[in-house]
Amino acid sequence: MRRSDRAVTAPDEIRGILERCKVCRLAMWDEAGLYMVPMNFGYALEDGRLTLYFHSAREGRKIAALAASPQVAFEMDGGHELIRGSVPCAFSTNYESITGTGRAVFC
C-alpha cells in the first residue's frame, strides 16, 4: 500500500469494514487469462487471520480455474463518498476497502 498512513490494521476496524461491504470480487487465472467475479461472502476473522467463505455452483469457469490454480486475489469496498472539486482533477472519493491474496480451498 502506497499510503501506509491510511492502512487499517486494528481487527475491530477491519471487522467494521467487512460488515459494511456487501460484495467481494474474487480474481483468478485460467488459460483464457485473468477472470474476476463479484460474489456474496461470509467471513471469519480470528487471531488476525481473515477467512472468506463463498457459496457457488460446483461447475463452470470459476470452479475449473480454481481447481487448476487455487491462487486468488480479492477486493471489496464500500462507504463511497464523492469529493467535489472546482475542476475535474480536484475531484476525489473517500471509500474503505480490503484487498488481499490467498488460496482457495473447496469444502
Side-chain angles (χ1 to χ4, degrees):
M1 177 171 193
R2 184 179 67 84
R3 294 286 310 265
S4 60
D5 61 313
R6 294 185 180 178
V8 175
T9 57
D12 287 344
E13 290 183 56
I14 293 169
R15 187 177 309 280
I17 295 170
L18 286 162
E19 290 293 325
R20 290 186 292 275
C21 291
K22 304 301 180 207
V23 174
C24 180
R25 291 161 196 86
L26 187 65
M28 63 218 76
W29 178 267
D30 68 8
E31 69 269 354
L34 291 170
Y35 181 55
M36 181 170 36
V37 293
M39 299 189 71
N40 294 317
F41 68 97
Y43 72 91
L45 183 58
E46 298 170 348
D47 299 323
R49 180 181 168 95
L50 175 62
T51 302
L52 297 172
Y53 297 93
F54 303 99
H55 178 74
S56 175
R58 295 189 178 264
E59 59 186 49
R61 181 178 178 188
K62 175 179 64 224
I63 299 302
L66 293 172
S69 177
Q71 298 301 322
V72 296
F74 68 92
E75 185 277 345
M76 56 186 82
D77 55 77
H80 303 100
E81 177 187 359
L82 178 64
I83 300 170
R84 298 189 177 273
S86 58
V87 296
C89 290
F91 278 69
S92 188
T93 304
N94 280 333
Y95 64 94
E96 52 192 11
S97 65
I98 297 176
T99 63
T101 58
R103 180 178 174 83
V105 176
F106 294 93
C107 298

